[in-house]
């Protein structure tokens, strides 16, 4: 069964498109494109249709990630379409839980840092109003958590087969 992941932040131009780009690369490298689908969305529609922030794209490209998704707001149908809706911080998490139309949908909502392996940060901080280090930190935290998420997805799939 294909697993569908939606990464969510506020604007869908910094953190969640980076998570999408990193996760897609990991999934591709693992040869799991037919098993795992990845998308991202934002809780505000302010940047709808835009590419990710040029600063985020530039930092990501130096690590080999091409961020070419277009910002879109979270839709109610995302709670049906996706198996995991993963917020970058507590505000995203709380807002997703508030929007969830039923308890099954609510159970699909997670925090990105749940999947961290090396870092102990309690959220992925919004880099939008900060400097260079903020963008690098986002990539460090997301590379770690995406690897943890992939491991969890692969493990849960093999548990299901047993
Ligand atoms: P993101 O960063 O949630 O990581 O995409 C932000 C981008 C834009 C805004 C806020 C956060 N904004 O308020 O426009």
């Amino acid at each position: 069964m294909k697993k569908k992941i939606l990464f969510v932040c506020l604007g869908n131009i910094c953190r969640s498109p980076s998570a999408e780009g990193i996760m897609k690369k990991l999934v591709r490298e693992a040869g799991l494109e037919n098993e795992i689908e990845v998308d991202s969305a934002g809780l505000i529609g302010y940047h709808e249709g835009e590419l990710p922030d040029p600063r985020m794209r530039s930092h990501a490209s130096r690590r080999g990630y091409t961020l070419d998704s277009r910002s879109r707001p979270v839709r109610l149908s995302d709670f049906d379409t996706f198996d995991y809706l993963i917020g970058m911080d507590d505000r995203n998490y709380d807002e997703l839980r508030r929007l969830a139309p039923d308890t099954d949908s609510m159970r699909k909502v997670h925090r990105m840092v749940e999947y961290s392996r090396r870092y102990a940060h309690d959220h992925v901080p919004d880099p939008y109003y900060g400097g260079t280090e903020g963008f690098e930190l986002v990539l460090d935290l997301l590379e770690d958590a995406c690897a943890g998420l992939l491991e969890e997805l692969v493990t849960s799939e093999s548990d299901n087969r047993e």
Side-chain angles (χ1 to χ4, degrees), residues 9-16 44 46-47 126-129:
C9 62
L10 188 58
N12 191 212
I13 54 166
C14 293
R15 294 166 292 173
S16 61
I44 54 171
Y46 186 71
H47 296 281
D126 185 348
Y128 192 65
Y129 295 104

Side-chain angles (χ1 to χ4, degrees), residues 21-31 142-143 146-147 150:
I22 291 168
M23 193 67 187
K24 278 184 170 162
K25 186 157 181 260
L26 289 178
V27 166
R28 195 163 56 241
E29 285 167 0
L142 292 178
E143 284 180 333
C146 282
L150 181 63

Side-chain angles (χ1 to χ4, degrees), residues 3 40 47 62 108 131:
K3 291 273 171 58
S40 68
H47 296 281
R62 274 180 244 150
K108 295 178 172 182

Side-chain angles (χ1 to χ4, degrees), residues 1-7 23 32-40 77-86 108 110 149 153 157:
M1 259 276 283
K2 194 164 193 170
K3 291 273 171 58
K4 297 184 180 173
I5 318 292
L6 184 70
F7 294 113
M23 193 67 187
L32 293 171
E33 289 136 302
N34 293 329
E35 271 74 49
I36 300 172
E37 190 176 305
V38 184
D39 194 5
S40 68
S77 60
D78 288 328
F79 288 96
D80 281 332
T81 308
F82 292 92
D83 303 297
Y84 293 73
L85 290 88
I86 304 178
K108 295 178 172 182
H110 298 266
L149 173 60
L153 293 173
E157 190 56 29

